Amino acid sequence: MKKFLAGLGAVSPVVAASSAFAAAGQPTPWQLSFQDPASALMEQIIWFERYTLWFIVPITLLVLGLLAWCIVKYRASAHPVPSRTSHNTLIEVIWTAGPVIILLFLAVPSFQLLTAQYNPEQEPDMTIKATGMQWNWEYEYQDEEPLIFSSFMLREQDRADAGKEDLAEFPRLLAVDNEVVVPVNTTVRVLVTAGDVIHAFAMPSFGVKVDAVPGRINETWFNANREGIFYGQCSELCGKDHAFMPIAIRVVSQEQFDSWRTQAQADLGEANRALMASIRDEETNVADAGN
């Protein structure tokens, strides 16, 4: 299983170094499956979803076939005298033992996945507190010099000033004015709460979804294994603007994060602009090298 998951999550250097608006970071039109994984935990979730289909599809087809067989064979015109069979030991053993065995095959990997979701493989390297508000998110980097800022959905009239006019990279209703910035391959603890009503912090590419409850702190974690910008949303109905409080997390190199973190302490807006410029320069260099 580990080899399968490692292969599933493998990303070529060209793809990893490509533009930050890779499809993995946001939903796509007519999407039926999960977003592409950006963490080992999400890879496990996708594996488990595909694993369960090997049980769900045959069971569904079996039940459908039994219903069709009963409808046809025992219809009133072909079977005017109903069967009065009241007991069949073999059938009862099969429909008792069968589901028990199937549930065991589902339970073991599901418990392993549940355990992984609440127990990171290593101690977190950094802690961020996310507080849901009506209708934005407030973030606090909890380290020696705390950094606190608000994140609102990016308004269309503010795109030019923010340098976020590219709808492919900064999609409508998902882009924000201030993204959460974290380094790649770093275990990040997220403390989730709310300041008014119940919200939910959800980041599909990372396999993260946890309720934000007023007066209570829930804990989750993620470790992004590639750079880019990834989008999520509040996933708990919280009021009239529930649909307008997106979550954006930008994953960068350790060097870029250190530079951003130092500058953000003094001027968050300037730090964000410098980070975007650094990322675009890197993309340009990669494109030139490819040519």
Side-chain angles (χ1 to χ4, degrees):
M1 182 185 299
K2 290 183 178 179
K3 290 183 179 179
F4 172 78
L5 292 176
L8 182 65
V11 180
S12 70
V14 174
V15 174
S18 64
S19 110
F21 55 87
Q26 57 184 276
T28 57
W30 302 101
Q31 184 173 356
L32 298 178
S33 60
F34 289 114
Q35 293 182 25
D36 292 339
S39 72
L41 184 61
M42 189 59 197
E43 292 169 2
Q44 293 181 52
I45 292 173
I46 292 176
W47 177 87
F48 183 67
E49 183 257 351
R50 294 172 179 172
Y51 173 76
T52 57
L53 287 178
W54 286 100
F55 297 90
I56 294 173
V57 172
I59 291 172
T60 302
L61 295 176
L62 174 63
V63 172
L64 181 62
L66 290 175
L67 285 173
W69 180 69
C70 291
I71 290 171
V72 173
K73 182 174 179 62
Y74 297 104
R75 66 188 188 278
S77 59
H79 204 82
V81 180
S83 171
R84 296 184 179 277
T85 302
S86 61
H87 183 76
N88 187 303
T89 301
L90 178 60
I91 291 178
E92 291 189 8
V93 169
I94 292 174
W95 74 34
T96 300
V100 169
I101 294 172
I102 292 172
L103 288 175
L104 283 175
F105 275 96
L106 293 175
V108 172
S110 73
F111 289 154
Q112 292 175 337
L113 177 57
L114 187 63
T115 300
Q117 288 179 305
Y118 289 98
N119 296 277
E121 296 179 353
Q122 62 187 45
E123 282 297 311
D125 300 298
M126 59 186 299
T127 299
I128 299 175
K129 183 180 180 181
T131 304
M133 308 291 290
Q134 289 179 310
W135 285 274
N136 71 285
W137 291 92
E138 293 186 357
Y139 299 104
E140 177 183 351
Y141 285 70
Q142 298 187 340
D143 47 27
E144 294 180 359
E145 296 183 357
L147 172 65
I148 303 174
F149 61 87
S150 298
S151 180
F152 290 85
M153 185 183 73
L154 184 65
R155 299 184 302 175
E156 294 302 303
Q157 60 267 34
D158 295 334
R159 283 185 176 275
D161 291 340
K164 298 179 177 179
E165 297 175 284
D166 187 350
L167 289 175
E169 184 176 1
F170 305 101
R172 180 176 175 272
L173 304 182
L174 286 178
V176 301
D177 55 357
N178 297 312
E179 296 102 5
V180 175
V181 180
V182 299
V184 69
N185 297 321
T186 299
T187 301
V188 181
R189 176 197 288 119
V190 185
L191 305 178
V192 182
T193 187
D196 35 48
V197 299
I198 298 178
H199 301 274
F201 186 90
M203 183 55 61
S205 294
F206 298 163
V208 170
K209 184 177 181 181
V210 60
D211 284 344
V213 182
R216 174 176 177 176
I217 295 180
N218 289 326
E219 183 177 323
T220 186
W221 69 278
F222 66 85
N223 187 319
N225 54 24
R226 58 192 176 85
E227 298 178 29
I229 184 168
F230 303 91
Y231 294 101
Q233 292 174 297
C234 173
S235 297
E236 183 71 38
L237 185 61
C238 57
K240 72 179 185 67
D241 285 342
H242 160 68
F244 306 110
M245 52 181 298
I247 302 165
I249 299 179
R250 187 185 288 277
V251 182
V252 298
S253 67
Q254 185 65 54
E255 294 75 17
Q256 289 173 324
F257 173 78
D258 291 338
S259 177
W260 173 86
R261 182 67 181 85
T262 300
Q263 195 169 3
Q265 199 67 40
D267 189 334
L268 178 63
E270 185 59 35
N272 289 338
R273 286 187 286 271
L275 178 61
M276 290 174 59
S278 172
I279 293 172
R280 284 169 180 162
D281 287 344
E282 187 178 88
E283 292 172 357
T284 300
N285 293 336
V286 169
D288 291 342
N291 292 331

